[in-house]
């Protein structure tokens, strides 16, 4: 009986998620007038494939028309990420481990999946550069992107579960590898993550995780960032990579100089 109730609950959540995503992609804002909408929305399991399929149906013009909706989703995802960090800090200070801790982790994980899905859809290689500039590099939106990077790095550099770090690395890989032809976009994201702390965290993650996909994504990230202005002696990724003693990293260093 309990299993049946849980199954029905899962189906209900899944149906609600799809309903709300459909609403968003139609240009509607289902959060209007609903108190605590976002707290509930980020408890739903994110269907990344469903969102990808929705993006596949959109033209560049349609994506630009839905700009405010996508920015709304990104902004509220950022709020969830920031709150999750604050909650974790409070819980650690007070040595609290309860159901709210798990709820916060679920929201954090789902917020990262929403962000990944949106950026993946916007940065698709077939998209016109105008889409990227209008949604992400526009002067009006750059402040939001900066807040997004701050939140992402704050979580990445903190003591969070391996799954969360893997999701963040996956997002960063998308940001710095998709649509590389847009130089402004490409350089912006690279420079945001080109620091010693980020390298150390990613390198540590690679050596500790057993997930092959995550390891590959971690190495992709390091190689792209280390390769950026590789003849600049101040590139922290290149400096730290050259001093890396773990043999796993040797091939990356050699690759950069081939």
């Amino acid at each position: 009986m309990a299993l049946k109730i849980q199954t029905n609950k899962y189906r209900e959540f899944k149906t609600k998620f799809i309903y709300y995503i459909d609403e968003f992609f139609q240009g509607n804002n289902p959060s209007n007038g609903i108190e605590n909408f976002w707290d509930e929305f980020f408890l739903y399991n994110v269907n990344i494939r469903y969102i990808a399929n929705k993006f596949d149906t959109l033209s560049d013009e349609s994506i630009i028309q839905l700009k405010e909706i996508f920015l709304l989703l990104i902004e509220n995802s950022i709020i969830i990420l920031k709150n999750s960090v604050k909650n974790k800090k409070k819980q650690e200070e007070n040595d609290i481990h309860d159901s709210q801790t798990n709820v916060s982790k679920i929201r954090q994980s789902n917020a990262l999946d929403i962000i990944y899905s949106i950026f993946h859809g916007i940065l698709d290689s077939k998209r016109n550069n105008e889409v990227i500039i209008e949604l992400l590099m526009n002067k009006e939106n750059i402040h939001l992107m900066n807040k997004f990077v701050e939140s992402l790095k704050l979580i990445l550099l903190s003591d969070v579960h391996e799954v969360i770090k893997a999701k963040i690395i996956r997002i960063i890989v998308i940001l710095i590898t998709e649509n590389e032809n847009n130089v402004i976009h490409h350089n912006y994201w690279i420079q945001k993550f080109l620091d010693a702390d980020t390298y150390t965290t990613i390198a540590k993650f690679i050596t500790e995780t057993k997930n092959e996909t995550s390891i590959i994504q971690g190495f992709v990230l390091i190689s792209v960032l280390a390769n950026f202005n590789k003849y600049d002696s101040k590139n922290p990724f290149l400096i730290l990579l050259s001093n890396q003693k773990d043999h796993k990293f040797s091939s990356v260093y050699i690759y950069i100089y081939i």
Side-chain angles (χ1 to χ4, degrees), residues 34-51:
I34 302 180
E35 190 177 359
N36 299 324
F37 171 86
W38 296 106
D39 285 341
E40 182 180 333
F41 177 75
F42 285 105
L43 288 177
Y44 303 144
N45 288 325
V46 177
N47 189 328
I48 293 176
R49 172 50 53 192
Y50 188 77
I51 296 176

Side-chain angles (χ1 to χ4, degrees), residues 15 30 41 71 132 145 156 168 217:
T15 304
F41 177 75
L71 292 176
I132 299 171
M145 295 302 110
L156 179 65
I168 292 174
Q217 289 179 333

Side-chain angles (χ1 to χ4, degrees), residues 58-61 63-64 121-136 179 181-182 185:
L58 297 178
S59 64
D60 289 349
E61 293 75 17
I63 288 182
I64 291 175
I122 293 171
L123 297 175
D124 190 293
S125 58
K126 67 176 180 285
R127 296 294 174 199
N128 191 295
N129 282 342
E130 183 185 347
V131 174
I132 299 171
I133 294 170
E134 181 63 28
L135 269 77
L136 306 181
N179 226 308
N181 293 331
N182 189 313
H185 151 79

Side-chain angles (χ1 to χ4, degrees), residues 2 31 46 53 82-83 92 95 136 171-172 231 234 253:
S31 70
V46 177
N53 290 339
K82 283 190 171 182
N83 287 343
E92 287 175 347
D95 195 25
L136 306 181
I171 291 171
I172 301 174
Y231 297 111
K234 295 180 181 179
Y253 187 71

